[in-house]
């Protein structure tokens, strides 16, 4: 015959009595154990009881079930031990415990005798009396039973009649249970003591997986249950005072140990590993210290009702050291949760467009201690600043700016105590130097430039190109000087420019304009024979090439002076050629090569005299040959006659062709 407690009854055994809740030892005994035991006795079979598979058995459950069976049936424990066979692979020690409960049960029926003695009451008249105990010895339960005593004369010879009544007292039994707030199992490892009203230690023990029983405490007196040392990870409970009652039942005293859990979380509620934490009492003594993991920590050595301070000694990489958390261990029997949240301070190094900048060297200094708490080189992502403490003030400084960017102004910030990511932006602006042509406004390559500070130190130097230059090494708010050391070919050196780097986060443009060196070429139209100036209408063109196919511009003559003027000519090589001759002169096909450079202005290799940047040379023309002498009218008549003759010939040819066609 078998009983599997987990399968046939429950895997979560409860307390001793039905009044204490479900699945008690009393209920199991009445419903299952007792009927099965009686059946086994009747059939002369063994009753095999399997304890495995459950979540643990309390001593009160087992004692009431098996010890209570013996008391209920007034059974000989030896017979019970022969019939009952216990299996407990999970907790083999339970077999020994149940055997003891069965053996000791008979002794408890009806009582444990504390002490024996005799009390005589003499010289009572015949009659009926009630005998009742009104006071008993310390450690015994007062027996309030009323015993009838009747004296009746039976004969005339007996002078003294004696009646005897046995008054039996139970010892007081106090069962002390040390449990957690769940109450599922006895809590092992607590050092406990019971103290009387005079401060005397009556009993002292270390809790185990079974309850602890104290016999013989005095009825009516008050005792104190004290936890001298709590198990690891549990709070030392408040003292429990109890008064011993006059009862035959075992008096139960329960002391519950709670837990104070500390979680180290980020602002998202996730556990943070690697924080070094300490808990101090009011006197500044360390009561516990640990490094956070991915699970909550059970704080050690706490006492209910006392106040403590949770302190973060060192925050994990990328997190701010949190403000101290003060807490008082409550006396309620619930797990108390203490949360410390580590926030993040993020620093972004950006350009004015809002993009992260790589390569800037940044330091953060504590304003109070002047110590550098973090130093890094900016990357593609924002940087989590190390070593910060909530509530303290710091200065962020750009130690080395990225080439082409201005070193930003220092930023002072205080780490807020709100539990949100704190973002700090440091923006690097750009100072551009544009070297341009004064006339065209276009970028001018080839100028050698430098920027110096107020002390004359060279901050940056470069040669201009066809795009503006990003100046390196500047700082916001400081004054600098831009100087042109060497100008490009064909230009005049510009004056130096003083400028201050503004603190606004906009691109700052410093423009230096170079004036080109310009020359004027004046061409004098002259007669090749007389060398006299020809004051008439004519035109000249200036070209890029010798073949004179690439015209730059064409200029009409000033007939009053007989000259053509080409203004604002830059350094270079040009070709000047007549495009329309004066009246009566042959159109010349000569192209004069004009060269303008640092050495001067040359016409066909001959250096021209420079008079306030105006250079002059003669251009000669030959007259058209005359057919007859006379005035200018003779030329007109001659040309007219030639045209009429040509027309006559042409007309004759056309008429002839028409006649032939008709034929």
């Amino acid at each position: 015959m078998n009983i599997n407690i987990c399968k046939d009854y429950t895997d979560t055994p409860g307390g001793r009595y039905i009044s204490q809740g479900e699945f008690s030892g009393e209920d199991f005994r009445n419903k299952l154990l007792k009927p099965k035991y009686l059946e086994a006795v009747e059939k002369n079979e063994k009753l095999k009881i399997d304890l495995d598979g459950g979540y643990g058995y309390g001593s009160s459950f087992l004692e009431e079930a098996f010890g209570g069976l013996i008391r209920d049936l007034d059974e000989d424990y030896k017979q019970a031990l022969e019939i009952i066979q216990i299996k407990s692979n999970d907790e083999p020690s339970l077999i020994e415990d149940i055997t003891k409960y069965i053996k000791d049960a008979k002794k408890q029926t009806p009582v444990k005798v504390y002490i024996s003695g005799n009390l005589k009451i003499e010289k009572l008249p015949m009659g009926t009396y009630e005998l009742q105990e009104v006071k008993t010895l310390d450690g015994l339960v007062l027996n309030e039973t009323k015993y009838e005593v009747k004296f009746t004369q039976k004969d005339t010879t007996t002078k003294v009649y004696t009646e005897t009544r046995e008054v039996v007292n139970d010892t007081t039994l106090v069962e002390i249970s040390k449990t957690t707030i769940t109450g599922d199992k006895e809590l092992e490892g607590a050092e406990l003591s019971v103290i009387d009203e005079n401060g005397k230690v009556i009993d002292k023990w270390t809790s185990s997986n079974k309850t602890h029983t104290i016999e013989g405490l005095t009825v009516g007196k008050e005792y104190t249950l004290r936890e001298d040392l709590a198990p690891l990870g549990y709070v030392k409970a408040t003292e429990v005072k109890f008064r011993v009652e006059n009862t035959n039942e075992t008096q139960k005293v329960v002391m519950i140990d709670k837990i104070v859990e500390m979680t180290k979380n980020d602002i998202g509620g996730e556990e943070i590993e690697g924080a070094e934490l300490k808990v101090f009492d009011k006197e500044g003594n360390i009561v516990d210290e640990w490094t956070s993991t991915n699970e909550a920590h059970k704080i050690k050595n706490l006492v209910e009702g006392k106040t403590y301070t949770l302190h973060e000694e060192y925050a994990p990489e990328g997190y701010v050291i949190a403000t101290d958390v003060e807490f008082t261990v409550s006396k309620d029997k619930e797990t108390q949760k203490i949360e410390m949240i580590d926030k993040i301070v993020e620093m972004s190094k950006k350009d004015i467009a809002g993009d992260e900048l790589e390569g800037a060297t940044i330091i953060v200094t504590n304003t109070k201690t002047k110590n550098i708490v973090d130093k890094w080189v900016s990357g593609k992502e924002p940087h989590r600043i190390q070593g910060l403490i909530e509530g303290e003030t710091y200065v962020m400084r750009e130690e080395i700016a990225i080439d082409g960017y201005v070193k930003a102004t220092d930023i002072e910030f205080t780490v807020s105590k709100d539990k949100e990511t704190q973002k700090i932006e440091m923006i690097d602006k750009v100072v551009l130097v544009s070297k341009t042509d004064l006339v065209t406004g276009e970028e001018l390559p080839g100028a050698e430039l430098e920027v110096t500070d107020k002390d004359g130190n060279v901050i940056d130097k470069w040669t201009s190109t066809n795009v503006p230059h990003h100046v390196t090494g500047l700082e916001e708010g400081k004054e600098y000087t831009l100087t042109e050391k060497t100008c490009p070919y064909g230009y005049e050196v510009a004056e130096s420019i003083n400028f201050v780097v503004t603190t606004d986060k906009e691109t700052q443009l410093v423009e230096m304009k170079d004036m080109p060196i310009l020359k004027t070429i004046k061409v004098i139209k002259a007669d090749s024979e007389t060398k006299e100036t020809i004051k008439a209408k004519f035109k000249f063109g200036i070209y890029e090439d010798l073949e004179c196919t690439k015209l730059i511009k064409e200029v009409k003559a000033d007939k009053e002076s007989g000259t053509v003027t080409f203004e604002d000519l830059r350094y270079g090589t040009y070709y000047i050629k007549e495009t329309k001759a004066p009246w009566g002169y042959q159109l010349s096909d000569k192209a004069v090569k004009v060269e303008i450079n640092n050495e001067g202005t040359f016409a066909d290799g001959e250096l021209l005299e420079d008079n306030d940047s105006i250079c002059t040379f003669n251009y000669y023309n030959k007259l058209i040959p005359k057919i007859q002498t006379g005035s200018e009218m003779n030329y007109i008549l001659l040309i007219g006659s030639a045209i009429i003759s040509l027309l006559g010939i042409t007309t004759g040819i056309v008429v002839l062709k028409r006649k032939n066609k008709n034929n």
Side-chain angles (χ1 to χ4, degrees), residues 68-103:
L69 177 70
I70 306 304
R71 291 191 289 271
D72 265 10
L73 300 176
D74 197 16
E75 183 70 272
D76 183 357
Y77 76 88
K78 293 180 180 179
Q79 179 179 312
L81 290 176
E82 288 181 4
I83 293 175
I84 296 173
Q85 294 181 348
I86 306 297
K87 177 190 174 187
S88 182
N89 295 329
D90 293 346
E91 293 186 71
S93 62
L94 294 179
I95 299 173
E96 184 180 340
D97 293 341
I98 292 172
T99 302
K100 186 175 185 299
Y101 296 146
I102 292 173
K103 287 181 178 180

Side-chain angles (χ1 to χ4, degrees), residues 320-332:
V320 175
I321 296 174
T323 308
D324 290 352
V325 177
E326 187 175 88
F327 65 96
T328 300
V329 181
S330 64
K331 295 183 181 181
D332 61 54

Side-chain angles (χ1 to χ4, degrees), residues 168-237:
V168 181
N169 296 88
D170 291 339
T171 59
T172 59
L173 290 175
V174 176
E175 185 182 78
I176 296 177
S177 178
K178 183 63 175 177
T179 68
T180 66
I181 55 176
T182 62
D184 295 337
K185 294 182 179 180
E186 292 294 314
L187 180 61
E188 300 181 56
E191 295 183 7
L192 304 164
S193 58
V194 170
I195 302 161
D196 65 14
E197 294 171 338
N198 300 317
K200 181 182 177 182
V201 177
I202 303 301
D203 196 3
K204 192 176 182 75
W205 73 100
T206 300
S207 64
S208 65
N209 60 355
K210 303 179 182 63
T211 58
H212 180 76
T213 302
I214 303 175
E215 297 185 32
L217 298 182
T218 304
V219 173
K221 286 192 175 182
E222 187 178 74
Y223 295 86
T224 300
L225 172 62
R226 178 181 298 161
E227 185 169 29
D228 300 311
L229 180 66
L232 196 66
Y234 289 86
V235 175
K236 189 187 292 186

